[in-house]
Amino acid sequence: MKLDVNLCNNLKSIRTRLGMSQQELANIAGVTRQSIGGVESGQYAPSVAMSLRLAKALGCQVEDLFWFEQDLPEVEAVLAGSAPKQQQLRVSLARVGDQWIAYPLVGNDAFRIEMIPADGEAVAVVRQSALGGFPQEELPKGFPGINKLLNPEGETLAVRHPVVGSGVSASSSDVGASPVRVKEFPSISKLPLASEVAMPERQPESEAQSQIGTKKVLVRLLDDIGKLHNTVVIAGCTPVLSLLARATERWHPQLRIDYHFAHSTAALRSLCRGEVHIAGMHLYDPQTGEHNIPFVRQALTGKSAVLITLGVWEEGLLVPPGNPMGVKTLSDLVEFGATIVTHEVGSGSRMLLERKLQEEGVPFQTVKGFDHIVHNHQDVALSIVSGIADAGISTASIASAFGLGFIPLHRARYDLVIIKEYLEEEPVKQFLSILGHQLVRSQLEILGGYDISNIGEVVANI
């Protein structure tokens, strides 16, 4: 049949997903292999009879195989952030409140490096005997339910599913000397308090909406609009959010979690602009001694929100394994000539570094590498692993994941900030429901460096 230039198909993708060759599909459908190849390449439009045979052979509907290009629906969406001017702009979509939001898939945002949920916890490495037997005497005593698993080196790993216990309590409290008066160190500028951090200016709702409206785009859908409706959008900086996202999708297969990396201040701004359902943050206000609440109060533009805690994590200095320089305080970084990497201005880690330097009386510019900025916790660890830097601010869990040394400086509460009206949306309810799940607790407990005894607790209504 003559080709219809507007006819699209995904015959090849469905066939290959089912592990079928062109010849196998042709045999089942009662057509020639050449016909299958012609349809897949778009050179041949199948007849009604052939379309029905192919759909039956693949166990799907004809509409799943073929469609007209102009049939793809379009929606009007608000463009989140900026994007380069180009003819084709790939975006991800989600419904936030009463509007569609389009997130440009450009540069690093087009890729995902995510923390993967664990399927089990390896509790022992046991050598396999010459005859392939399992030397039971080498198993750790008192561990029930241990299964046998071989690694590529031929060793046997004893693996068990984590047992849920009480929350892991992070050790160590804040470290550092007593705060000094800024006037004694004129080179140090005053660190920002919550009231001084640049947040979105309060403005009437209509004005805010009119500003957002200037970035609207028309988006042609490439997926089922029902899936897009069932999406929760989260912005934050902790890799744990990606872990929770994947874990949630395991237990709610129809739910989609769209996780966007952003430091605490940027995540809060996205929430205020209506671009995300949930913002994760770990900002500390030294004036009030509170985490996150003062910053949220200032940033909200006439809306109500709740803060739900994810846990308390240990923040501090990452150093090479064994801490070869013997760094104990931030002052040692200058004395030993150590090179550091820092986070972006507005991030909780950057604010912690500046605050602790000020407390120890260390001028920022005397720290080697202070202007070397990386954009996430993984990059801090990789900079140290690769030898680019000798130290950087991150968390105990990141140090553990990369096998690095860790010097604790502060225990920060990581909260999820949610606009109250979103709490009634079913996708958001499903995501929040997993916070108390025992398997989620197990995932966080084996990471280390997290106190999750209050996970899921509402710590503030604003």
Side-chain angles (χ1 to χ4, degrees):
M1 183 179 292
K2 184 179 178 181
L3 174 66
D4 188 331
V5 295
N6 292 320
L7 184 65
C8 303
N9 79 84
N10 61 354
L11 178 61
K12 182 178 180 179
S13 64
I14 292 179
R15 173 180 61 78
T16 55
R17 190 169 71 240
L18 295 175
M20 299 173 65
S21 67
Q22 287 185 342
Q23 187 62 61
E24 288 171 333
L25 176 58
N27 292 341
I28 296 174
V31 299
T32 65
R33 185 193 63 77
Q34 290 78 9
S35 296
I36 299 296
V39 172
E40 290 184 352
S41 63
Q43 298 176 352
Y44 175 72
S47 65
V48 173
M50 182 178 178
S51 299
L52 291 171
R53 288 174 182 170
L54 291 174
K56 183 178 181 180
L58 294 171
C60 62
Q61 301 294 319
V62 172
E63 292 83 356
D64 297 329
L65 291 175
F66 306 101
W67 67 92
F68 288 111
E69 185 174 13
Q70 62 265 32
D71 287 346
L72 293 174
E74 296 179 339
V75 298
E76 188 179 74
V78 174
L79 191 64
S82 58
K85 293 182 179 179
Q86 54 192 56
Q87 286 186 332
Q88 289 183 315
L89 177 62
R90 297 172 60 245
V91 299
S92 60
L93 278 172
R95 188 79 176 177
V96 180
D98 59 357
Q99 61 188 355
W100 288 100
I101 306 294
Y103 309 91
L105 297 176
V106 177
N108 287 334
D109 292 330
F111 302 89
R112 289 286 184 265
I113 302 178
E114 300 174 328
M115 180 168 279
I116 307 301
D119 292 321
E121 179 187 4
V123 295
V125 176
V126 184
R127 299 250 176 216
Q128 190 178 18
S129 68
L131 297 177
F134 199 83
Q136 296 291 332
E137 67 276 9
E138 296 185 30
L139 286 174
K141 292 181 173 60
F143 278 108
I146 295 185
N147 299 317
K148 187 175 172 182
L149 179 68
L150 296 181
N151 69 10
E153 286 71 43
E155 295 177 336
T156 301
L157 292 178
V159 178
R160 67 179 173 87
H161 292 291
V163 179
V164 179
S166 58
V168 175
S169 178
S171 62
S172 179
S173 56
D174 291 4
V175 177
S178 300
V180 296
R181 292 191 297 273
V182 177
K183 66 180 182 179
E184 294 178 3
F185 297 91
S187 61
I188 303 176
S189 58
K190 184 182 178 184
L191 290 176
L193 303 175
S195 59
E196 299 166 334
V197 174
M199 292 292 179
E201 294 183 4
R202 292 183 178 273
Q203 53 190 334
E205 194 69 25
S206 58
E207 182 182 347
Q209 291 173 344
S210 66
Q211 290 182 4
I212 290 177
T214 61
K215 299 188 297 181
K216 285 191 174 180
V217 293
L218 197 63
V219 180
R220 184 166 61 97
L221 300 185
L222 302 177
D223 204 344
D224 180 9
I225 194 169
K227 296 179 182 177
L228 304 182
H229 270 290
N230 203 34
T231 301
V232 176
V233 189
I234 306 174
C237 67
T238 174
V240 168
L241 289 177
S242 63
L243 184 151
L244 290 177
R246 300 291 80 82
T248 302
E249 290 173 343
R250 282 186 178 185
W251 300 317
H252 298 286
Q254 303 305 314
L255 180 64
R256 190 178 71 154
I257 307 295
D258 196 355
Y259 167 58
H260 296 263
F261 177 85
H263 63 71
S264 295
T265 303
L268 185 55
R269 286 172 175 162
S270 292
L271 183 73
C272 292
R273 289 194 297 263
E275 296 172 350
V276 300
H277 295 101
I278 302 172
M281 56 187 300
H282 61 113
L283 298 179
Y284 176 72
D285 182 8
Q287 188 177 54
T288 62
E290 290 185 306
H291 286 95
N292 305 320
I293 297 172
F295 301 89
V296 177
R297 280 201 183 107
Q298 183 192 355
L300 283 180
T301 55
K303 293 185 177 181
S304 299
V306 296
L307 278 72
I308 298 176
T309 190
L310 193 58
V312 176
W313 65 2
E314 277 191 292
E315 298 177 312
L317 275 177
L318 268 58
V319 294
N323 191 9
M325 283 189 171
V327 174
K328 295 181 179 179
T329 67
L330 292 176
S331 303
D332 291 340
L333 296 175
V334 177
E335 181 179 347
F336 301 151
T339 300
I340 69 168
V341 290
T342 57
H343 293 258
E344 297 170 283
V345 174
S347 67
S349 298
R350 175 64 173 254
M351 292 172 67
L352 170 63
L353 174 63
E354 294 182 351
R355 187 174 78 249
K356 291 299 182 180
L357 286 174
Q358 181 177 339
E359 289 177 2
E360 294 190 28
V362 180
F364 300 166
Q365 67 270 21
T366 63
V367 182
K368 189 177 179 181
F370 186 79
D371 294 326
H372 184 178
I373 294 175
V374 295
H375 301 285
N376 58 55
H377 291 280
Q378 297 97 305
D379 285 347
V380 173
L382 289 172
S383 296
I384 298 169
V385 170
S386 64
I388 294 174
D390 301 307
I393 296 289
S394 189
T395 66
S397 60
I398 292 294
S400 176
F402 284 87
L404 297 172
F406 182 73
I407 303 167
L409 296 175
H410 180 66
R411 295 184 66 210
R413 195 182 71 228
Y414 198 98
D415 294 334
L416 303 177
V417 187
I418 311 171
I419 301 298
K420 284 187 177 179
E421 63 187 77
Y422 301 158
L423 293 174
E424 300 303 317
E425 298 184 11
E426 193 60 32
V428 176
K429 288 181 180 179
Q430 289 181 344
F431 173 75
L432 294 179
S433 71
I434 62 99
L435 293 182
H437 198 292
Q438 63 176 4
L439 295 180
V440 168
R441 298 178 69 91
S442 297
Q443 293 285 343
L444 297 182
E445 285 172 353
I446 64 174
L447 282 179
Y450 273 86
D451 177 354
I452 58 168
S453 56
N454 294 322
I455 186 172
E457 178 183 311
V458 175
V459 293
N461 280 276
I462 297 176

